[in-house]
Amino acid sequence: MSADTAAESLARLAAERVDHRFKGLPPDADGLTVGELAAQRRNLFTGGFATPVLALSAERLEHNLRLMETYADRHGLAFAPHGKTSMAPQLFQRQIDHGAWGITLAVPHQVRVARAFGTRRVFLANELVDPAALRWVSAELDADPEFRFIAYVDSVRGVELMDAALGEARRPLDVVVELAAGEGARTGVRTEAECAAVADAVARTRSLRLVGVAGYEGEVPKADPERVTAWLRRLVALAAGFDEAGRFSGVDEIVVSAGGSAWFDAVADVFAEIPELSRPVLKLLRSGAYVSHDDGHYRKLTPFNRVPEEGALEPAFRLWTQVVSRPSAEQAFVNAGKRDAAYDLDLPFAQVIRRDGAERPATGVSVTALSDQHAWLSTTPEADLEVGDWVGLGLSHPCTSFDKWPLIPVAQADGTVVDYVRTFF
């Protein structure tokens, strides 16, 4: 896909018509295109938006994009952010515009979305053995010489299935051996000897090409700096051992990849120790949740907490809800629940209250439970909360926020909506 075609695909998102599919948007905007609605620059609070409505902060989104671009550059890392966090092609492109090498994804459907919008480099941080998906990837590689695709392998059987599906592919499919994060961890090869066996299996195929090693340090059991660093050094040693054994002959660069959103400081430190190998090394970091960040899980785990001089990510999501019931002085209900808010790790956090255009902290208000369409609020005596008030909720774990909202307003600090982000889950 050419750059022009990719731009045209993204532009088509602005031509999509607003209607009942997109919750939270102004009912009187039905029939407008997304681009036309964005051009009106409506206000999130006075422009007809209906609660609940999820919004992204324009300023915080841009801050986070710039911060990780600077971080990767400072530490000599290539960056392939995990796009499954958002599944939003506009955000894919903004990350690439901010220096990303490509996009990391997890399943074939996500790759199809990325390719439909012109993504040229995809790292699939997962094993891929489905014949139909493999044949589709192979056809994409044949059709676009500039398309780069890399996938995990972690078993001889998986390699054999891939080779059987790909047959006499014109372009070999690039793979990296996934080193497991430890016993009882998720996917990946458990021992170095088994890693060598998988690499040997790749070498016996005509359809696959070994280009490196990879893994996910976030799965290290009982993760702490020492355990994570030790595992990362195993990964680097595996790459060096493979190189010494001549396993990377015929490649232009050796891929060494790791990185989630909890330990990327350790990845940067250990990857800085990678010795000189026979070919240039692509040190590929894959953190994903940084774009929107959050007010819970990742805010507590971000490496910037450990290394504050590097900067700080900012939570960019806020879910705006409205008080619809105040049955007692100790209880209130707002009109957003499990279908609207991420709740797989932590409950939402009551942050601010809006009444008559004025905003103040949500003192004495906390979320105690979620129903399908309601959040249960507990209120203390100092809480000033009435039916009709808007309550802004911070969210934990952005991965399950994006998938609940197919079209998300991007609002400036004063409430002006300047864009809309389309998601595909």
Side-chain angles (χ1 to χ4, degrees):
M1 179 179 288
S2 69
D4 287 346
T5 304
E8 290 167 1
S9 295
L10 287 167
R12 280 198 294 273
L13 292 176
E16 194 167 10
R17 296 286 174 183
V18 174
D19 57 26
H20 60 275
R21 293 171 297 163
F22 305 125
K23 59 184 180 179
L25 299 192
D28 67 352
D30 279 8
L32 296 176
T33 67
V34 173
E36 289 168 344
L37 181 57
Q40 292 182 356
R41 297 176 68 87
R42 295 198 188 194
N43 188 279
L44 187 69
F45 308 111
T46 62
F49 291 84
T51 57
V53 58
L54 181 69
L56 273 168
S57 162
E59 294 87 355
R60 292 185 170 196
L61 181 62
E62 180 64 20
H63 166 85
N64 292 342
L65 288 164
R66 290 184 181 276
L67 182 64
M68 286 303 291
E69 177 184 20
T70 300
Y71 183 88
D73 184 64
R74 181 185 301 129
H75 291 280
L77 300 169
F79 189 38
H82 215 315
K84 63 96 176 174
T85 305
S86 66
M87 283 310 297
Q90 293 147 287
L91 296 183
F92 293 175
Q93 188 59 51
R94 287 189 67 174
Q95 290 172 104
I96 290 168
D97 291 343
H98 279 276
W101 170 91
I103 298 296
T104 297
L105 297 165
V107 293
H109 158 70
Q110 295 169 356
V111 182
R112 291 189 64 195
V113 172
R115 287 296 292 161
F117 291 91
T119 302
R120 287 286 176 82
R121 292 172 177 163
V122 170
F123 187 102
L124 190 76
N126 205 349
E127 283 67 28
L128 178 59
V129 296
D130 180 85
L134 284 163
R135 288 192 292 268
W136 176 82
V137 170
S138 182
E140 288 290 295
L141 289 168
D142 289 345
D144 185 355
E146 295 186 29
F147 179 38
R148 179 88 191 272
F149 179 85
I150 303 172
Y152 280 174
V153 289
D154 76 347
S155 68
V156 172
R157 170 65 172 163
V159 167
E160 292 170 348
L161 289 172
M162 294 176 79
D163 190 43
L166 291 168
E168 301 296 321
R170 288 198 300 240
R171 281 181 64 188
L173 191 151
D174 288 347
V175 297
V176 291
V177 172
E178 182 194 6
L179 177 66
E183 288 299 326
R186 203 162 59 187
T187 55
V189 187
R190 266 38 182 181
T191 69
E192 279 73 4
E194 290 171 306
C195 286
V198 174
D200 288 341
V202 172
R204 291 193 294 269
T205 71
R206 294 184 59 185
S207 62
L208 304 178
R209 180 175 71 160
L210 183 67
V211 298
V213 298
Y216 174 44
E217 78 291 340
E219 285 290 313
V220 170
K222 299 179 180 178
D224 61 23
E226 291 73 26
R227 288 185 176 91
V228 169
T229 296
W231 178 84
L232 286 164
R233 287 184 173 143
R234 278 187 66 199
L235 185 70
V236 168
L238 182 65
F242 276 11
D243 186 45
E244 185 177 358
R247 296 187 187 279
F248 298 127
S249 60
V251 305
D252 296 328
E253 63 184 5
I254 297 168
V255 178
V256 182
S257 179
S261 297
W263 296 102
F264 58 74
D265 56 334
V267 175
D269 290 344
V270 175
F271 279 15
E273 302 170 359
I274 294 178
E276 184 174 349
L277 302 183
S278 65
R279 289 158 178 78
V281 177
L282 181 71
K283 304 174 184 180
L284 194 60
L285 180 69
R286 304 194 311 271
S287 302
Y290 81 97
V291 178
S292 60
H293 200 39
D294 66 15
D295 285 286
H297 181 69
Y298 287 117
R299 191 169 194 173
K300 291 180 285 190
L301 295 179
T302 176
F304 290 128
N305 290 337
R306 295 187 290 270
V307 195
E309 60 269 23
E310 295 274 16
L313 294 168
E314 298 178 351
F317 268 139
R318 181 163 284 170
L319 177 60
W320 287 101
T321 67
Q322 196 165 24
V323 178
V324 294
S325 180
R326 188 80 158 101
S328 74
E330 296 79 29
Q331 197 174 40
F333 292 86
V334 293
N335 59 346
K338 293 178 180 178
R339 300 183 185 278
D340 312 298
Y343 64 94
D344 57 320
L345 293 179
D346 296 308
L347 291 171
F349 310 92
Q351 293 180 323
V352 295
I353 298 168
R354 286 186 65 91
R355 182 188 301 160
D356 299 327
E359 192 172 300
R360 66 182 188 281
T363 304
V365 180
S366 58
V367 179
T368 60
L370 293 177
S371 299
D372 282 351
Q373 301 293 175
H374 293 94
W376 297 55
L377 305 185
S378 173
T379 57
T380 62
E382 68 260 38
D384 178 14
L385 196 64
E386 297 178 354
V387 170
D389 288 348
W390 282 40
V391 180
L393 304 179
L395 301 174
S396 173
H397 203 198
C399 301
T400 54
S401 297
F402 280 101
D403 62 2
K404 299 174 186 297
W405 294 85
L407 194 61
I408 304 171
V410 180
Q412 293 177 338
D414 66 357
T416 302
V417 177
V418 295
D419 200 2
Y420 295 83
V421 170
R422 185 72 159 93
T423 65
F424 293 85
F425 281 91

